[in-house]
Amino acid sequence: MSVVPAHVIVVDDDVGVREAVDGLLRSVGLKVSLFGSVADFLAAPLPERPRCLILDVRLPGRSGLDLQSELTNTSAGLPVIFITGHGDIPMSVGAMKAGAVEFLPKPFRDQDLLDAIQVALDQDRAQMVGAATEAALRARLETLTVRERQVFALVATGLLNKQIADEIGVAEITVKVHRGQVMKKMGARTIVDLVRMADSLSLTDRPAA
């Protein structure tokens, strides 16, 4: 299986900083995209994951903090590392509370930046795996019949076969058959697996009888 190369996006209006960071990251085998403003960044397509964003706080036009807020609100899932020559403690605390991986004052040590990038890329890889897992679960869910989905949701609440049968008005043996089909189609080895899948899919509301 091919490995998707990590990609780091740098948004900083200082050409010297952009070039220095670009040289550092390429020296350790990372792909890099450079932008001088938030507008330039937003005009370009996001690279394939795993990826992260190195972002200056003060930029011409919209600030780095404004961009972080927008990315959070749009659920872009892009890990952010702030770099700044004008930061203060309240600003750094606010950025970290909003989900930033790191807040580095300029000038920063190369290793500190590389360490933060590793954390950010690991975070994005984990997000990617989680999204792929959820997509696979939802694809399996689509193979269930309406009745099987109903039984799936009720099993997840902890009801026994007899209780489920009473709930939906069928014979207990019918519930057993549907439950077996749900286990098979969802790829669940145990009821615990099935309950975890239901939780991931937010199937916790009991359907109407």
Side-chain angles (χ1 to χ4, degrees):
M1 184 176 66
S2 60
V3 177
V4 178
H7 200 130
V8 180
I9 306 160
V10 181
V11 182
D12 195 307
D13 62 331
D14 188 319
V15 176
V17 171
R18 291 202 305 270
E19 291 179 347
V21 173
D22 181 53
L24 172 65
L25 302 189
R26 291 185 186 279
S27 73
V28 294
L30 294 170
K31 296 189 62 161
V32 187
S33 293
L34 305 174
F35 301 97
S37 69
V38 170
D40 290 344
F41 163 73
L42 292 175
L46 282 174
E48 295 296 323
R49 294 187 180 186
R51 62 199 179 182
C52 71
L53 175 62
I54 298 175
L55 184 59
D56 194 5
V57 172
R58 292 190 178 180
L59 292 164
R62 297 164 65 185
S63 73
L65 294 172
D66 289 337
L67 177 58
Q68 181 194 30
S69 178
E70 180 174 332
L71 292 173
T72 300
N73 292 335
T74 58
S75 301
L78 186 60
V80 175
I81 299 165
F82 277 108
I83 55 176
T84 181
H86 307 282
D88 54 35
I89 292 176
M91 185 184 293
S92 63
V93 170
M96 297 298 285
K97 284 185 175 180
V101 173
E102 187 57 275
F103 195 99
L104 299 174
K106 298 175 182 176
F108 46 78
R109 293 175 60 247
D110 289 352
Q111 192 59 51
D112 288 341
L113 180 60
L114 293 175
D115 289 345
I117 289 171
Q118 186 61 57
V119 171
L121 292 176
D122 287 345
Q123 179 179 311
D124 200 55
R125 289 187 182 99
Q127 291 174 348
M128 182 168 57
V129 169
T133 299
E134 181 177 347
L137 285 178
R138 293 200 176 279
R140 294 176 199 168
L141 182 66
E142 290 300 315
T143 69
L144 302 185
T145 65
V146 173
R147 181 65 86 186
E148 286 167 354
R149 287 194 191 201
Q150 195 175 23
V151 170
F152 184 9
L154 290 169
V155 168
T157 69
L159 294 183
L160 302 175
N161 288 344
K162 185 178 187 317
Q163 293 172 311
I164 295 174
D166 292 340
E167 179 83 13
I168 63 178
V170 299
E172 185 176 350
I173 186 64
T174 301
V175 173
K176 289 181 180 179
V177 171
H178 286 316
R179 184 167 169 167
Q181 283 297 104
V182 171
M183 295 279 290
K184 180 180 179 181
K185 290 182 179 180
M186 293 303 298
R189 292 175 296 178
T190 66
I191 292 299
V192 173
D193 287 343
L194 201 63
V195 171
R196 287 173 178 163
M197 291 176 184
D199 185 57
S200 295
L201 294 166
S202 301
L203 298 181
T204 54
D205 293 333
R206 292 176 58 173

